[in-house]
Amino acid sequence: SNAWADLPIDLGASWIHGTKDNPLTALAAEAKAATVATSYDSSLLHIDPAYAALGLDDPDSDWAEAQVERAMAWAEKRDKDASLKQALEAVSPAAKLSPFRRAQRDHYLAGNYEQEYAGPLDRLSAWHVDDSKEFAGDDVLFPGGYGQIATHLAKGLTIKTGHVVKLVEWDANGVSVICDNGNVFLGDRVIVTVPLGVLKSGAITFAPELPPRKAKAIDRLGMGLLNKHFLRFEKPFWPTDVDWHELVKPDPGKWSQWVSFTKAAGKPVLLGFTGADTAKAVEAMDDRAIVAEAMAAVRTMFGNSAPDPVAVQMTRWSRDPFALGSYSYNAVGSTPADRKALAAPEVGGALAFAGEACSADYPGTVHGALLSGSDAVRKLLD
């Protein structure tokens, strides 16, 4: 819409997470895509008045973090993986916490685990939830949109849109890719880069079927959900020198994490996140109801006189047939070895997989997807 012509909105990935030695940094420079940094240190914490009575004016995230570390230490001693929720209940049952402490811990878990990894606490693996590496440096956004990278990479390539793949027939002699419009593409090799959610759904048939280790990896890994809700206003009525706003409130994880685009991009836009089961519940609501809920949180943070947005854009990633979720997470019973099994090329090198779910080191990130693609090509060429 015209309201957004001056600010391309990234409905999926938006950041380069850690610019130092990150392959995306060089790619952004090649594509001449400008970036701006945001910082988790540039943040304000807001407290719902319902909590003021509990004396909750300074939630101590160090305490909450220590709780998670205790839970993980408990899980490490077991011979079988547990969910983060199960581990937390074992070391520090919610029923035994004061309302003050529970609010504090739930807020921390919603932001740092459910939204970070896009999975619910009762499905995130206590053993492997945060088994990933990071690049140093800033987190940066693209004022001109992440699409600049895809457009740059697409130069000189033949890309067929509107071809929904239904069947991949593969053997040592080559592959046929059959689409729902009847088109068939033949080749020596194929690299499958569809999201894990699509693989889980069985929307694409593989003939012969995938070997057990691959099928098991697809089954075991979790497909997460993180949704974005962009609210655009005539002008900012919130502090313009801060990137992140957090709201501690009675239903944690619902409208508790916000990014302001005024500092980074100079635009009167607030982005509210919902993740995991909360996101699933919000997806079922209509846009008007979602905006009403989101605005209740905005007014708790910035005052009741905050006007309604002039435009909104939001995602429902679990309902998108070409994604069926946002990105993968390490679910209870899965391990980084499942990601390696998913990425391993098959018979005679005819079939390989790539994408963030194939990255054991950097799952859930664009750089993980990019590196896994390079790996897949290298393996097929070998």
Side-chain angles (χ1 to χ4, degrees), residues 163-243:
H163 286 64
V164 181
V165 174
K166 287 292 176 216
L167 174 64
V168 176
E169 293 179 332
W170 58 282
D171 61 30
N173 301 319
V175 293
S176 335
V177 174
I178 294 118
C179 303
D180 68 348
N181 59 7
N183 280 15
V184 178
F185 296 89
L186 303 175
D188 296 329
R189 300 178 171 88
V190 64
I191 299 178
V192 179
T193 60
V194 300
L196 178 68
V198 175
L199 292 176
K200 280 181 170 294
S201 75
I204 299 173
T205 303
F206 292 90
E209 59 186 38
L210 297 175
R213 64 185 180 139
K214 264 212 185 9
K216 279 195 181 117
I218 290 167
D219 195 42
R220 281 197 289 247
L221 290 166
M223 186 61 178
L225 183 58
L226 182 72
N227 278 323
K228 293 176 161 184
H229 313 81
F230 291 92
L231 309 179
R232 183 166 187 146
F233 302 89
E234 289 286 354
K235 56 180 193 285
F237 47 80
W238 58 89
T240 55
D241 56 346
V242 173
D243 291 322

Side-chain angles (χ1 to χ4, degrees), residues 21-375:
D21 301 326
N22 190 318
L24 285 164
T25 306
L27 209 48
E30 250 177 60
K32 300 187 171 48
T35 59
V36 289
T38 62
S39 169
Y40 291 116
D41 295 333
S42 172
S43 68
L44 271 182
L45 188 70
H46 306 262
I47 311 288
D48 189 304
Y51 280 141
L54 300 172
L56 183 66
D57 57 358
D58 182 22
D60 167 11
S61 62
D62 292 347
W63 173 83
E65 194 177 337
Q67 294 266 307
V68 176
E69 280 165 12
R70 277 179 59 210
M72 287 177 170
W74 172 86
E76 282 304 323
K77 294 193 184 82
R78 288 164 43 95
D79 54 7
K80 190 161 168 262
D81 195 4
S83 73
L84 204 45
K85 182 172 186 172
Q86 186 187 351
L88 281 159
E89 277 301 300
V91 300
S92 168
K96 292 216 169 120
L97 294 175
S98 69
F100 169 91
R101 284 300 196 199
R102 195 187 305 184
Q104 204 172 355
R105 189 173 80 177
D106 287 351
H107 175 78
Y108 177 82
L109 290 166
N112 291 275
Y113 286 89
E114 292 203 313
Q115 291 182 21
E116 180 73 18
Y117 299 105
L121 293 177
D122 59 2
R123 294 273 299 122
L124 290 170
S125 160
W127 278 2
H128 300 292
V129 59
D130 54 4
D131 276 12
S132 54
K133 297 179 183 173
E134 288 180 352
F135 288 112
D138 286 336
D139 286 340
V140 300
L141 288 166
F142 294 95
Y146 231 123
Q148 296 170 100
I149 301 291
T151 304
H152 170 70
L153 289 172
K155 277 183 194 143
L157 300 180
T158 304
I159 293 171
K160 304 260 185 195
T161 55
H163 286 64
V164 181
V165 174
K166 287 292 176 216
L167 174 64
V168 176
E169 293 179 332
W170 58 282
D171 61 30
N173 301 319
V175 293
S176 335
V177 174
I178 294 118
C179 303
D180 68 348
N181 59 7
N183 280 15
V184 178
F185 296 89
L186 303 175
D188 296 329
R189 300 178 171 88
V190 64
I191 299 178
V192 179
T193 60
V194 300
L196 178 68
V198 175
L199 292 176
K200 280 181 170 294
S201 75
I204 299 173
T205 303
F206 292 90
E209 59 186 38
L210 297 175
R213 64 185 180 139
K214 264 212 185 9
K216 279 195 181 117
I218 290 167
D219 195 42
R220 281 197 289 247
L221 290 166
M223 186 61 178
L225 183 58
L226 182 72
N227 278 323
K228 293 176 161 184
H229 313 81
F230 291 92
L231 309 179
R232 183 166 187 146
F233 302 89
E234 289 286 354
K235 56 180 193 285
F237 47 80
W238 58 89
T240 55
D241 56 346
V242 173
D243 291 322
W244 287 86
H245 293 274
E246 290 188 61
L247 174 60
V248 184
K249 56 202 277 289
D251 46 353
K254 215 173 187 190
W255 315 116
S256 57
Q257 301 280 339
W258 293 82
V259 176
S260 159
F261 280 77
T262 46
K263 185 178 165 207
K267 304 292 183 221
V269 172
L270 292 172
L271 159 60
F273 292 99
T274 54
D277 292 347
T278 300
K280 201 81 183 222
V282 170
E283 278 189 351
M285 296 159 52
D286 67 31
D287 285 10
R288 191 177 301 173
I290 295 173
V291 171
E293 259 197 18
M295 282 309 298
V298 168
R299 290 179 177 123
T300 301
M301 293 190 289
F302 305 117
N304 285 333
S305 61
D308 282 332
V310 291
V312 301
Q313 287 197 55
M314 45 189 121
T315 65
R316 288 179 174 84
W317 282 114
S318 85
R319 296 176 173 217
D320 181 322
F322 303 117
L324 299 174
S326 302
Y327 49 86
S328 65
Y329 64 87
N330 291 328
V332 182
S334 72
T335 74
D338 287 318
R339 298 183 182 279
K340 289 181 174 149
L342 186 56
E346 293 305 335
V347 183
L351 174 67
F353 287 75
E356 59 80 20
C358 294
S359 174
D361 286 343
Y362 305 106
T365 65
V366 179
H367 53 264
L370 183 67
L371 289 164
S372 88
S374 309
D375 278 353

